[in-house]
């Protein structure tokens, strides 16, 4: 059964129960009130008749009915009662609407209390049928009960009056039920539209799926309503805020949980904010804030998603490594293909000595490189990176050298090799691009110097490229900044981030001829800060 049909049936059933219950209660109350009113009216008339002097005097005559009958009949017709019966202590009638019953005994069996001097209201079956009657005693001058006055209204007449009201109540109830049915249809349609036509089971499944998705997303997510009250926060958000996983922050104001979040500003303006930086505790995060907009109610809240900046940099580093490895393989393939073509051509021309000399030269160059790296830079990740960069430089017709005095053998195990690869690889890439873009400098030359002497690791990358204008300064380390066209400007930002994580610093200065010299200093020991190996000479620096 569809949700809309269920809602209609539920609402109609509820309305029916309510209307029937209210109608029954109202009918009972109205009947009771009417009976009380008629009973009181009958009693008052009975008491009035019993106190009439003519009635009392009639009891002293030989034929009391001759006086009493016409008197009480006139009163009965005026009050529209079914009967007014006057009788003596023995219950013998002196008056009755049917004259033939005068002189006969009163029926009903409820005269006992009246003969004791009480006025009562009772229900009894008389000679005319079931009736509601008011009875009052007649006293003589000495206060002795000498007779009884009974004023009655038939029960069927009372029911006929209440039946008229009952019909009206049923008619009104039917109208209310019809309007309730129409309202239930409209409510069911609105509910169905509000929940996009989903069934309760489907809504439950969607909620379960949403909770699972929110908990598996590797981003912190927090949602607030229009008043800034937190309505949802996933597990990763609690983790970034350094709160227990079991912490309940829903129902609290966002400023109490996460100050300076700007979610209230997004709710107020209705404008989204993307890729903003923010500090949550000790974590630098990248934040996106989006308003929740309803077609009917406008902005009803906002959602913020944020992720650790270090994780984003780690992903960028991994992508950069993949890109570098791919470039290395492509460069090696291309370079060795060219060399094979040259050797093949020399052999076909029978220039055997030239072929041997070329092979010896290439072998010596690679052997020297490999020997230097194996001896002085034994770390396989850094060594593999440098060999790849060497092949890439040869393909680009660049000269890439490692200073023979370099030594990178004393690398503490605590230093993250991925961060070192990020620093060295991006500095070399940046230097090569600067050399290729240079027009004034004629020497396409890149040189790398590595040393682990002392308490710091020193990485120096020198190029004869286009250089860095003085007015640019430290903006070269900002994410997205580049002097080259295209979607670039991430390399030096990654270098600065990696240096920062290793508690080091990076500085650059102009090459005396042309180009730039970048110098990185990284402490060997944890929780220490690198010392500058040389004084600044007007260079632009950035550091920890």
């Amino acid at each position: 059964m569809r949700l809309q049909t269920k809602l209609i049936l539920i609402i109609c059933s509820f309305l029916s129960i309510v209307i029937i219950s209210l109608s029954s209660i109202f009918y009972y109350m109205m009947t009771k009130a009417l009976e009380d009113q008629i009973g009181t009216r009958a009693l008052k008339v009975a008491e009035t008749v019993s106190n009439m002097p003519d009635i009392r005097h009639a009891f002293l005559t030989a034929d009391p009915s001759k006086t009493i009958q016409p008197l009480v009949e006139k009163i009965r017709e005026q009050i529209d009662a079914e009967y007014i019966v006057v009788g003596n202590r023995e219950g013998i009638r002196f008056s009755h609407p049917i004259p033939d019953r005068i002189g006969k005994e009163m029926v009903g069996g409820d005269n006992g209390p009246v003969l004791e001097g009480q006025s009562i209201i009772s229900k009894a079956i008389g000679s005319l049928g079931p009736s509601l009657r008011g009875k009052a005693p007649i006293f003589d001058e000495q206060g002795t009960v000498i007779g009884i006055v009974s004023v009655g209204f038939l029960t069927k007449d009372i029911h006929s009056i209440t039946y008229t009201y009952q019909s009206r109540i049923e008619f009104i109830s039917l109208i209310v039920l019809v309007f309730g049915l129409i309202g239930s249809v409209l409510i069911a349609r609105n509910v169905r539209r509000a929940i996009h036509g989903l069934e309760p089971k489907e809504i439950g499944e969607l909620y379960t799926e949403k909770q699972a998705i929110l908990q598996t997303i590797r981003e912190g997510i927090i949602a607030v309503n229009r008043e800034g009250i937190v309505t949802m926060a996933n597990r990763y958000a609690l983790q970034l805020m350094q709160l227990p996983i079991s912490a309940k922050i829903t129902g609290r104001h966002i400023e109490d949980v996460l100050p300076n979040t700007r979610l209230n500003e997004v709710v107020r303006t209705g404008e989204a904010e993307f890729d903003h930086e923010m500090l949550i505790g000790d974590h630098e995060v990248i934040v996106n804030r989006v308003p929740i907009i309803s077609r009917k109610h406008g902005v009803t809240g906002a959602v913020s998603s944020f992720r650790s900046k270090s994780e984003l940099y780690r992903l960028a580093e991994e992508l950069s490594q993949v890109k570098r490895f791919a470039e290395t393989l492509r460069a090696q393939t291309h370079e060795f293909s060219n060399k094979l073509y040259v050797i093949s051509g020399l052999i076909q021309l029978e220039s055997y000595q030239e072929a041997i000399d070329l092979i010896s030269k290439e072998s010596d160059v690679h052997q020297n490189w490999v020997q230097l790296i194996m001896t002085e830079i034994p770390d396989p990740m850094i060594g593999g990176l440098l060999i790849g960069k060497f092949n890439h430089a040869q393909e680009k017709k660049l000269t890439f050298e490692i200073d023979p005095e370099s030594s990178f053998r004393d690398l503490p195990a605590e230093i993250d090799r991925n961060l070192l690869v990020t620093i060295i690889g991006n500095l070399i890439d940046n230097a090569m691009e600067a050399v290729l873009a240079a027009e004034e400098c004629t020497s396409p030359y890149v040189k790398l110097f590595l040393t682990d002497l002392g308490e710091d690791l020193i990485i120096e990358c020198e190029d004869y490229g286009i250089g860095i204008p003085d007015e640019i300064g430290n903006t070269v380390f900002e994410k997205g900044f580049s002097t080259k066209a295209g979607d670039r400007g991430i390399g030096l930002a990654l270098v600065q981030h990696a240096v920062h994580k290793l508690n080091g610093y990076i500085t650059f200065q102009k090459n005396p001829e042309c180009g730039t010299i970048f110098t990185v200093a990284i402490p060997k020991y944890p929780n220490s800060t690198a010392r500058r190996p040389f004084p600044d000479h007007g260079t632009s620096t950035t550091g920890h």
Side-chain angles (χ1 to χ4, degrees):
M1 188 180 293
R2 302 294 294 177
L3 177 62
Q4 183 173 353
T5 305
K6 290 181 181 178
L7 284 174
I8 293 174
L9 291 176
I10 292 172
I11 295 174
C12 288
S13 300
F14 177 75
L15 284 175
S16 300
I17 294 172
V18 171
I19 291 172
I20 292 173
S21 300
L22 291 177
S23 300
S24 301
I25 293 172
F26 181 74
Y27 178 74
Y28 170 78
M29 294 174 62
M30 185 191 67
T31 302
K32 188 70 170 58
L34 184 61
E35 289 181 352
D36 291 344
Q37 181 182 2
I38 292 175
T40 303
R41 180 182 173 188
L43 180 61
K44 294 298 182 183
V45 173
E47 290 176 341
T48 301
V49 171
S50 67
N51 290 323
M52 293 176 66
D54 293 341
I55 298 295
R56 291 178 182 175
H57 293 157
F59 272 78
L60 301 176
T61 62
D63 188 7
S65 65
K66 185 177 180 180
T67 303
I68 296 174
Q69 174 69 4
L71 181 60
V72 298
E73 277 298 302
K74 185 177 180 180
I75 296 173
R76 184 186 68 81
E77 292 175 356
Q78 289 176 349
I79 66 171
D80 199 23
E82 190 64 31
Y83 60 84
I84 299 178
V85 175
V86 179
N88 60 16
R89 283 185 60 86
E90 289 74 26
I92 302 302
R93 300 187 186 104
F94 292 152
S95 67
H96 197 279
I98 301 176
D100 293 342
R101 297 181 182 178
I102 296 174
K104 295 181 179 180
E105 190 176 351
M106 299 173 70
V107 179
D110 53 354
N111 290 337
V114 183
L115 293 175
E116 294 176 359
Q118 299 180 20
S119 296
I120 65 170
I121 299 174
S122 67
K123 286 183 179 181
I125 300 176
S127 60
L128 298 177
S131 61
L132 179 65
R133 55 181 72 181
K135 291 195 171 190
I138 301 173
F139 297 96
D140 61 8
E141 296 297 335
Q142 288 77 30
T144 303
V145 177
I146 59 175
I148 299 170
V149 178
S150 178
V151 179
F153 294 86
L154 292 180
T155 304
K156 65 178 182 179
D157 294 335
I158 299 174
H159 288 170
S160 65
I161 297 173
T162 58
Y163 179 76
T164 302
Y165 288 104
Q166 183 182 7
S167 301
R168 295 177 184 176
I169 293 172
E170 291 175 353
F171 178 72
I172 294 173
S173 300
L174 181 62
I175 293 176
V176 172
L177 185 60
V178 170
F179 277 105
L181 177 61
I182 296 172
S184 65
V185 172
L186 295 177
I187 291 172
R189 286 182 178 178
N190 288 334
V191 170
R192 190 170 184 271
R193 189 182 300 115
I195 61 176
H196 305 288
L198 298 174
E199 294 297 310
K201 181 179 179 181
E202 296 173 331
I203 295 174
E205 291 175 351
L206 283 177
Y207 176 79
T208 304
E209 290 177 5
K210 187 201 81 168
Q211 291 298 111
I213 291 171
L214 288 175
Q215 300 307 329
T216 54
I217 290 176
R218 293 291 294 172
E219 286 193 14
I221 298 178
I222 292 182
V224 300
N225 60 15
R226 188 184 284 110
E227 288 73 32
I229 304 300
V230 178
T231 57
M232 186 275 299
N234 69 346
R235 184 179 304 171
Y236 194 71
L238 298 175
Q239 186 177 341
L240 284 178
M241 291 187 289
Q242 298 178 344
L243 293 174
I245 300 301
S246 59
K248 301 293 183 183
I249 65 173
T250 54
R252 298 173 59 185
H253 198 279
I254 186 64
E255 291 296 332
D256 298 334
V257 178
L258 195 62
N260 305 319
T261 182
R262 286 187 54 81
L263 275 177
N264 288 331
E265 185 69 15
V266 173
V267 172
R268 187 182 66 82
T269 62
E271 296 181 359
E273 299 179 354
F274 297 102
D275 298 331
H276 285 211
E277 294 188 8
M278 180 180 174
L279 189 65
I280 300 179
D282 298 331
H283 298 281
E284 288 183 89
V285 296
I286 304 298
V287 186
N288 296 316
R289 308 179 184 96
V290 180
I292 303 172
I293 301 177
S294 170
R295 288 183 297 179
K296 290 186 177 180
H297 307 291
V299 179
T300 59
V303 176
S304 174
S305 64
F306 43 90
R307 188 161 190 178
S308 174
K309 193 174 180 182
S310 60
E311 288 193 16
L312 294 177
Y313 274 118
R314 181 177 57 80
L315 292 175
E317 291 167 7
E318 292 178 359
L319 291 174
S320 298
Q321 290 182 31
V322 172
K323 181 180 178 182
R324 286 194 295 268
F325 293 152
E327 290 176 349
T328 298
L329 292 175
R330 183 174 59 84
Q332 286 181 332
T333 301
H334 190 267
E335 182 67 18
F336 281 104
S337 295
N338 290 337
K339 295 292 174 36
L340 288 175
Y341 289 142
V342 173
I343 294 171
S344 175
L346 291 173
I347 292 174
Q348 292 179 32
L349 294 173
E350 298 183 355
S351 301
Y352 303 120
Q353 187 59 45
E354 286 79 359
I356 292 172
D357 292 341
L358 178 59
I359 293 172
S360 298
K361 178 183 176 182
E362 292 299 323
S363 177
D364 291 342
V365 170
H366 279 277
Q367 187 66 28
N368 292 336
W369 257 83
V370 172
Q371 187 65 31
L372 174 63
I373 290 173
M374 290 180 63
T375 303
E376 303 297 336
I377 310 173
D379 187 273
M381 289 187 65
I382 299 175
L385 171 71
L386 295 178
I387 291 175
K389 294 302 179 185
F390 173 77
N391 293 326
H392 185 61
Q394 284 190 316
E395 181 190 13
K396 296 292 185 181
K397 306 303 180 185
L398 300 176
T399 299
F400 175 46
E401 292 184 359
I402 297 178
D403 193 305
E405 301 297 324
S406 294
S407 175
F408 233 46
R409 289 178 291 182
D410 186 18
L411 292 182
E414 294 81 6
I415 295 181
D416 191 337
R417 299 304 194 267
N418 290 323
L419 295 178
L420 288 178
V421 167
T422 296
I423 296 170
I424 297 172
N426 280 288
L427 286 178
I428 295 173
D429 288 342
N430 192 68
M432 288 183 179
E433 291 179 358
V435 169
L436 292 173
E439 296 180 357
E440 300 176 358
C441 299
T442 57
S443 176
Y445 184 84
V446 175
K447 186 175 182 180
L448 180 69
F449 172 68
L450 305 173
T451 180
D452 54 8
L453 299 178
E455 297 182 356
D456 298 328
L457 302 176
I458 305 299
I459 303 170
E460 186 176 276
C461 187
E462 178 183 0
D463 69 75
Y464 291 81
I466 57 176
I468 298 175
D470 293 335
E471 61 271 14
I472 294 178
N474 288 347
T475 56
V476 296
F477 296 104
E478 294 180 2
K479 180 183 176 182
F481 177 85
S482 177
T483 57
K484 300 171 278 295
D487 186 14
R488 310 175 68 90
I490 189 67
L492 289 178
L494 288 173
V495 171
Q496 185 195 39
H497 181 74
V499 170
H500 175 83
K501 291 189 69 174
L502 294 174
N503 293 333
Y505 74 90
I506 179 172
T507 182
F508 66 89
Q509 59 185 354
K510 289 184 178 179
N511 198 320
E513 297 183 22
C514 63
T516 309
I517 301 173
F518 280 89
T519 302
V520 174
I522 298 169
K524 290 183 180 180
Y525 308 105
N527 303 321
S528 60
T529 303
R531 296 179 293 106
R532 299 183 185 276
F534 53 82
D536 294 333
H537 298 289
T539 61
S540 299
T541 62
T542 181
H544 178 66

